[in-house]
Amino acid sequence: YGSQLIKTPNLDRMALEGARLDSFYSSANVCTAARGGLLTGRYPIRLDLVSDVARPTNSVHLASEEISLAEALKPLGYKTALFGKWHLGSRLEWSPLTQGFDEYFGVLHSNDMTPLELYRQEKMIENPVNQNTLTERYTNEAIRFIQDNQDDPFFLYMPHTFPHVPLYVSNQFSGKSGAGLYGDVVETIDWSVGQILKTLERLKIEKDTLVLFTSDNGPWASKGKAGGVSGPLRGSKGCTLEGGVREPTIAWWPGTIAPGTESAGIAGTTDVLPTFVSLAGGKVKKDIRIDGVDVSKWMLGKTETSPRKTWHYFRGTRL
């Protein structure tokens, strides 16, 4: 989206070959609430996730009765996996495995919280975590999962640990960008995107796969150069000005989404669940209060106008 200091050839390629969604919003301005909105299609306040982010020292978590996107897709025959940062409950009893994910490899919360432990399924395999190679290891797990499930429908969710502060990269990417350590981190994530796309093409399943790239909140302004920038947008993480919640978003689906598509239509992460379920041939259960809308026709370029006209943020008493 315009950086002259950070090289992102794989994300650039996604934008050239797919759709740039220029008015796409996160469901919240901080990690936990935003992830809840993404995975459930419901306003985070309905999920009781707005008082604080999930920490090892509190009981903030996604309630078991909530239906996640993984749980919505499993009855439709999908294999599901999460590789990365969960941040919807910092105890194993609230892990992704309790919310419809078949596989889990990652950390339960942000990397500035301790203890930071790496889990494979329910087994803790590393403490403290070697953060320098986390992005590469998440990517390797993703490639393996795609290969293992290439003949089946699959849903892969990759919430990277970075660029949350503190920042880490491996020697392979250290000092390579023009924007310091933050730029190195973003270029590592771009590499990861490239590995995913190459895997889909090598297995010849890219025309059967929708890839969506977005973020959970804007830059962490108080961290200076380590926190990123919001370009021309006012505001940052923690506020609902554009810079805090309007996210660079790209949708890629060769043969389905026309190359070079751009749209300023309003949509956001709360719309992901109803949209993905619709594309998978299912329907959202009528007894669940969903705030997201199905924007599949707009996302695929079949209509120029998004069905969503407004985007709301709620704070205060749970609805």
Side-chain angles (χ1 to χ4, degrees):
Y1 276 67
S3 174
Q4 300 300 310
L5 299 175
I6 304 173
K7 298 179 291 295
T8 55
N10 297 296
L11 291 170
D12 293 349
R13 176 196 166 188
M14 279 186 68
L16 289 171
E17 296 179 359
R20 247 178 60 159
L21 310 179
D22 291 338
S23 294
F24 199 89
Y25 292 84
S26 176
S27 59
N29 52 29
V30 292
C31 315
T32 296
R35 289 152 201 266
L38 166 68
L39 285 180
T40 66
R42 285 160 52 81
Y43 291 133
I45 195 168
R46 297 195 198 280
L47 309 172
D48 203 18
L49 293 178
V50 298
S51 61
D52 196 1
V53 298
R55 307 174 186 273
T57 54
N58 67 27
S59 60
V60 174
H61 68 282
L62 183 63
S64 60
E65 62 267 23
E66 298 292 343
I67 305 299
S68 75
L69 178 51
E71 289 173 299
L73 290 174
K74 282 183 69 67
L76 302 175
Y78 279 70
K79 303 295 178 61
T80 60
L82 189 159
F83 303 132
K85 169 186 167 184
W86 171 234
H87 214 190
L88 283 169
S90 294
R91 302 176 196 168
L92 272 181
E93 58 262 38
W94 303 325
S95 83
L97 299 175
T98 68
Q99 295 285 352
F101 288 96
D102 299 316
E103 294 192 30
Y104 172 53
F105 177 86
V107 294
L108 291 174
H109 47 73
S110 295
N111 66 326
D112 60 345
M113 302 173 184
T114 55
L116 187 65
E117 303 162 331
L118 183 66
Y119 286 89
R120 182 182 298 281
Q121 301 298 86
E122 295 183 337
K123 183 180 180 181
M124 192 268 287
I125 61 173
E126 193 172 292
N127 179 22
V129 176
N130 175 9
Q131 299 195 55
N132 295 304
T133 58
L134 265 184
T135 302
E136 286 98 323
R137 286 189 281 173
Y138 293 158
T139 305
N140 291 336
E141 292 293 327
I143 292 170
R144 190 266 312 157
F145 175 78
I146 294 170
Q147 291 175 164
D148 289 350
N149 295 282
Q150 59 184 289
D151 297 324
D152 299 303
F154 63 83
F155 168 57
L156 170 60
Y157 174 41
M158 288 190 69
H160 282 287
T161 291
F162 313 112
H164 196 281
V165 178
L167 303 173
Y168 293 87
V169 293
S170 66
N171 291 335
Q172 178 184 354
F173 295 97
S174 179
K176 297 297 176 65
S177 83
L181 183 54
Y182 180 89
D184 296 345
V185 164
V186 175
E187 291 192 6
T188 309
I189 293 172
D190 181 78
W191 166 86
S192 175
V193 170
Q195 296 302 300
I196 300 297
L197 301 186
K198 289 176 184 177
T199 300
L200 296 172
E201 292 173 324
R202 174 171 56 81
L203 299 174
K204 302 186 185 305
I205 57 174
E206 75 278 9
K207 292 186 177 181
D208 298 318
T209 309
L210 168 63
V211 180
L212 183 69
F213 182 92
T214 189
S215 184
D216 62 345
N217 53 244
W220 203 348
S222 64
K223 300 298 181 179
K225 292 182 179 180
V229 296
S230 57
L233 303 181
R234 188 162 60 105
S236 57
K237 176 178 180 176
C239 77
T240 51
L241 293 170
E242 294 277 281
V245 290
R246 184 173 169 183
E247 304 304 330
T249 303
I250 306 168
W252 183 84
W253 191 351
T256 298
I257 296 178
T261 302
E262 288 189 45
S263 178
I266 297 173
T269 55
T270 306
D271 301 324
V272 170
L273 183 145
T275 299
F276 279 24
V277 170
S278 173
L279 290 170
K283 293 183 178 180
V284 176
K285 292 182 178 180
K286 293 183 179 180
D287 59 342
I288 302 174
R289 179 75 176 272
I290 295 293
D291 300 297
V293 298
D294 176 6
V295 298
S296 56
K297 291 182 179 180
W298 166 78
M299 183 178 287
L300 302 185
K302 295 179 180 179
T303 176
E304 293 183 1
T305 305
S306 169
R308 179 179 283 284
K309 306 304 179 186
T310 57
W311 190 263
H312 296 288
Y313 289 96
F314 290 104
R315 298 286 295 184
T317 306
R318 183 178 181 180
L319 297 178

